Amino acid sequence: MPATPHLIPSLVQGAASAIQTHAEEVTALDRAIGDGDHVLNLQRGLDALAKQAESISALDWPAALQKIGMTLMSSVGGASGSLYGTLFIAMGKALKDREMNRPNLAEAFAQGVEAMKARGKADLGEKTMLDVLIPVADALRSAVERSLSVPQWVDEVSRAAEAGMESTRDMIATKGRASFLGERAIGHVDAGARSSQLMISAIAEVLAAKSR
Ligand code: ADP
Ligand code: MG
């Protein structure tokens, strides 16, 4: 894991193209149980990040993550904007005066997810992107404990994200717009869970490719 964030432009690009490729599918999910704007919200954020990616990659990791969080907060809108903003700002704080390596990344990601839980007053099992992010945080920690190789690490993280995304299908939503639908939300994957899974898998792939 590099000490400087020079990978940020390719990570943003990877996340953006994953969302682009699945834009119709994710929009259909958000139309089914939300208001249909989730992809547009994310794309605004990813465009804003792409424009700043070069300058962000000149910062150190804590400052870069902080800047990513602030950019997402001001550009994404929707529930997901402030939640993703909170995640990255908390990750930046957690990495302050720390080296960027896999144990510290796992720890920072877990703290970011905790901050998001607090911000949205939500937890596992409420049919949101937290059903992806919490298992991914656990998978990152577990991969560190078992000293997995990068390809194994990527594989486990991607599989945890997919299982988490799938788990939202049969849930009733208790947070966000889908909560107004009660049992009618059952049978639909949560759009935010699907988009976060797509972005996490894409980011993991870029990291794996760069470490080869
Ligand atoms: P909005 O719901 O305001 O239109 P988006 O469409 O951008 O915002 O994002 C919706 C997604 O945000 C949902 O699919 C869900 O995954 C996520 N979400 C909503 N509320 C919460 C919450 N309290 N905690 C975590 N994620 C949430
Ligand atoms: Mg929406």
Side-chain angles (χ1 to χ4, degrees):
M1 194 74 64
T4 57
H6 70 273
L7 288 177
I8 284 173
S10 19
L11 297 175
V12 171
Q13 172 58 39
S17 70
I19 295 302
Q20 185 56 44
T21 307
H22 297 88
E24 279 183 33
E25 178 209 326
V26 179
T27 297
L29 293 175
D30 196 36
R31 281 219 186 94
I33 58 170
D35 58 355
D37 64 350
H38 183 57
V39 167
L40 290 177
N41 290 342
L42 286 180
Q43 286 180 329
R44 256 199 323 277
L46 290 161
D47 283 350
L49 285 184
K51 289 205 180 81
Q52 300 200 48
E54 287 300 332
S55 67
I56 290 175
S57 63
L59 304 170
D60 59 16
W61 275 111
L65 289 162
Q66 171 104 7
K67 180 80 186 158
I68 289 171
M70 281 162 37
T71 302
L72 293 176
M73 274 216 188
S74 60
S75 61
V76 176
S80 51
S82 73
L83 293 166
Y84 271 117
T86 301
L87 172 84
F88 283 98
I89 289 171
M91 282 182 75
K93 280 200 188 118
L95 279 166
K96 210 155 178 60
D97 303 321
R98 284 180 158 207
E99 208 186 310
M100 178 56 122
N101 52 33
R102 277 195 275 163
N104 287 345
L105 172 64
E107 188 50 40
F109 188 79
Q111 288 193 29
V113 172
E114 284 305 315
M116 184 191 275
K117 282 163 68 176
R119 171 88 192 208
K121 299 187 177 54
D123 210 330
L124 196 68
E126 301 201 72
K127 201 177 181 95
T128 72
M129 56 184 162
L130 284 169
D131 292 310
V132 169
L133 299 175
I134 293 170
V136 164
D138 293 342
L140 285 172
R141 274 187 169 145
S142 150
V144 167
E145 276 160 20
R146 289 174 296 140
S147 311
L148 294 187
S149 69
V150 173
Q152 286 173 315
W153 181 81
V154 166
D155 194 49
E156 292 211 357
V157 165
S158 295
R159 277 193 289 139
E162 265 174 51
M165 177 273 288
E166 246 334 295
S167 76
T168 65
R169 190 186 297 279
D170 293 325
M171 289 178 187
I172 291 176
T174 37
K175 291 283 152 38
R177 292 177 199 280
S179 63
F180 308 140
L181 295 176
E183 303 223 329
R184 280 178 291 153
I186 294 180
H188 301 280
V189 164
D190 172 61
R194 176 64 168 146
S195 62
S196 57
Q197 176 260 317
L198 287 167
M199 292 189 284
I200 285 167
S201 296
I203 286 169
E205 271 309 316
V206 174
L207 290 175
K210 299 281 176 183
S211 73
R212 270 181 209 125

